[in-house]
């Protein structure tokens, strides 16, 4: 017998469900594409809508790409040695609901379908976790949160997204934060990672500040720290988080609709998400603007998947602790 021979008699013990096998649902979670039959704590759903992209189109391919890269994290235990903590245990039921139906070329219908799908998920008692698509998809998702009051919003993004309209259109990727500020059920906002050149004008920034939004660039946030950055945000209230992948630096998130230098690194965003999960009750989140057509090493999709898994772990850990 060779010294390299494997241990006999283990049956399937120690066998991993390899990431390159099987159907690529998000992290290989069970699939439930009929929302009428949804029975889960968390519903992951894609919105492959990039109809309002202003620069590089292709984020409609984001959900599929994030799912594929999420498979790296689909095997093995959810043990985090850094925190000495188990995350996302089997007591939580997480499902992949596939994608919202797209009416190709019809922005209004796509937004209608998106809002209806999120309303259905919420009515079934599941936390919606939404993969874009461009940032226009956040407005219809936010409308569906109106079963709640005083929802606070944290945005990770390079851009303010506070435009009144683009060519008369109110529901593009440049306006979701202003649209949310107009919704009666939306309360305070923190906009983190904002930097450089975007479509929002000085007057848009003034309007956002007048609304009471905390606006910080990565440099400004590094200087004061995460706790101080979130100090104007209320404790113990409900939170929705929208993550535009261009909030991260262009070097680690090149596959974005509008990649931007000077952004956050992965640890910074993960720590912000952990802080938000601890601050209040996160009732849903989206991650948008991943564009695999400009992501040759797939690192953008991989980090996107990782941040989603991190955040889900933080959110559900708080629910475990506060039961
Ligand atoms: Mn954005």
């Amino acid at each position: 017998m060779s010294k390299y021979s494997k241990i006999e008699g283990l049956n399937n013990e120690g066998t991993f469900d390899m990431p390159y096998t099987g159907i690529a649902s998000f992290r290989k979670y069970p699939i439930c594409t009929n929302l009428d039959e949804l029975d889960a704590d968390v519903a992951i759903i894609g919105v492959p809508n990039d109809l309002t992209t202003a620069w590089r189109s292709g984020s409609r391919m984001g959900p599929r790409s994030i799912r594929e890269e999420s498979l790296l994290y689909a095997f093995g235990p959810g043990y985090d040695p850094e925190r000495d903590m188990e995350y996302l245990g089997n007591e939580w039921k997480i499902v992949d609901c596939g994608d919202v139906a797209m009416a190709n070329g019809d922005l209004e219908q796509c937004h209608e379908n998106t809002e209806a799908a999120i309303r259905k998920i919420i009515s079934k008692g599941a936390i919606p976790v939404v993969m874009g698509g461009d940032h226009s998809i956040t407005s219809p998702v936010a409308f569906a949160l109106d079963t709640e009051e005083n929802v606070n919003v944290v945005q990770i993004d390079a851009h303010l997204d506070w435009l009144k309209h683009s060519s008369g259109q109110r529901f593009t990727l440049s306006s979701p934060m202003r649209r949310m500020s107009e919704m009666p059920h939306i309360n305070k906002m923190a906009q983190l990672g904002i930097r450089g050149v975007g479509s929002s004008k000085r007057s848009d920034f003034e309007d956002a500040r007048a609304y009471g939004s905390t606006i910080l660039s990565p440099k400004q946030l590094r200087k004061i720290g995460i706790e101080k950055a979130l100090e104007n945000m209320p404790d113990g209230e409900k939170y929705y988080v929208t993550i535009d992948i261009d909030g991260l630096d262009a070097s680690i998130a090149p596959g974005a609709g509008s990649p931007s230098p000077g952004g956050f690194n992965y640890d910074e965003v993960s720590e912000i998400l952990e802080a938000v999960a601890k601050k209040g009750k996160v009732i849903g989140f989206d991650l948008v603007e991943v564009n695999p057509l400009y992501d040759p090493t797939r690192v953008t999709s991989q980090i996107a998947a990782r941040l989603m898994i991190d955040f889900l772990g933080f959110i559900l850990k708080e629910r475990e602790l506060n039961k």
Side-chain angles (χ1 to χ4, degrees):
M1 194 198 277
S2 161
K3 67 181 177 185
Y4 296 112
S5 64
K6 69 174 199 173
I7 298 169
E8 301 290 341
L10 288 177
N11 296 321
N12 286 326
E13 187 192 329
T15 301
F16 287 125
D17 183 5
M18 299 311 291
Y20 51 83
T21 66
I23 295 169
S25 66
F26 187 86
R27 214 186 178 200
K28 288 201 187 173
Y29 286 128
I31 295 168
C32 172
T33 52
N34 183 351
L35 294 181
D36 288 320
E37 291 171 5
L38 179 63
D39 176 20
D41 301 299
V42 176
I44 296 166
I45 192 162
V47 186
N49 173 5
D50 63 5
L51 288 173
T52 80
T53 305
W55 177 231
R56 300 168 163 181
S57 57
S59 65
R60 69 180 60 180
M61 306 308 285
R64 181 152 295 182
S65 176
I66 294 168
R67 283 188 176 102
E68 277 209 6
E69 295 310 306
S70 77
L71 301 181
L72 173 61
Y73 308 109
F75 68 119
Y79 176 67
D80 177 356
E82 211 178 336
R83 296 175 179 81
D84 190 21
M85 194 97 81
E86 295 269 1
Y87 288 92
L88 301 175
N90 290 332
E91 68 271 32
W92 294 106
K93 195 166 173 208
I94 303 169
V95 299
D96 188 332
C97 297
D99 298 320
V100 171
M102 293 288 102
N104 196 41
D106 185 341
L107 183 63
E108 286 182 35
Q109 189 63 56
C110 290
H111 284 345
E112 295 275 2
N113 293 356
T114 302
E115 182 179 334
I118 304 305
R119 283 194 186 282
K120 176 69 87 173
I121 287 170
I122 291 171
S123 76
K124 295 284 185 177
I127 301 170
V129 170
V130 187
M131 300 182 281
D134 71 38
H135 217 158
S136 72
I137 67 130
T138 298
S139 292
V141 175
F143 277 124
L145 304 176
D146 67 3
T147 52
E148 305 279 359
E149 286 177 353
N150 289 326
V151 179
N152 302 283
V153 178
V154 176
Q155 174 200 21
I156 312 272
D157 202 320
H159 311 99
L160 195 71
D161 295 352
W162 204 281
L163 219 58
K164 280 183 183 144
H165 67 88
S166 326
S167 310
Q169 299 183 90
R170 291 175 299 129
F171 293 99
T172 73
L173 82 176
S174 298
S175 302
M177 303 311 290
R178 186 186 282 272
R179 292 292 89 82
M180 278 198 275
S181 77
E182 296 161 352
M183 296 179 194
H185 57 288
I186 300 296
N187 189 25
K188 303 276 281 182
M189 281 189 194
Q191 300 181 264
L192 310 177
I194 312 301
R195 63 192 187 275
V197 183
S199 55
S200 291
K201 302 183 283 283
R202 179 194 286 271
S203 61
D204 296 316
F205 278 84
E206 285 166 359
D207 289 351
R209 291 199 182 95
Y211 178 80
S213 179
T214 301
I215 303 168
L216 293 168
S217 71
K219 270 192 286 188
Q220 290 169 322
L221 186 141
R222 278 178 200 127
K223 209 168 267 176
I224 64 172
I226 292 170
E227 200 180 323
K228 190 117 178 92
L230 295 174
E231 75 177 355
N232 291 330
M233 300 299 281
D235 290 317
E237 289 190 6
K238 302 206 166 106
Y239 276 82
Y240 182 79
V241 177
T242 179
I243 306 162
D244 185 324
I245 202 67
D246 71 21
L248 282 87
D249 191 71
S251 61
I252 53 165
S258 312
S260 298
F264 290 125
N265 64 38
Y266 155 76
D267 277 319
E268 289 171 319
V269 175
S270 188
E271 282 171 22
I272 291 168
L273 298 176
E274 185 173 18
V276 175
K278 289 184 166 156
K279 197 160 184 70
K281 184 180 186 187
V282 179
I283 59 167
F285 71 90
D286 65 59
L287 190 151
V288 300
E289 296 287 349
V290 169
N291 184 340
L293 306 186
Y294 295 89
D295 196 23
T297 69
R298 304 187 185 207
V299 67
T300 313
S301 292
Q302 195 190 315
I303 292 175
R306 177 64 188 271
L307 286 172
M308 288 172 65
I309 292 164
D310 286 0
F311 198 19
L312 261 179
F314 299 143
I315 292 167
L316 297 180
K317 181 58 67 186
E318 290 310 306
R319 301 218 176 178
E320 282 166 40
L321 296 174
N322 295 322
K323 238 177 211 167

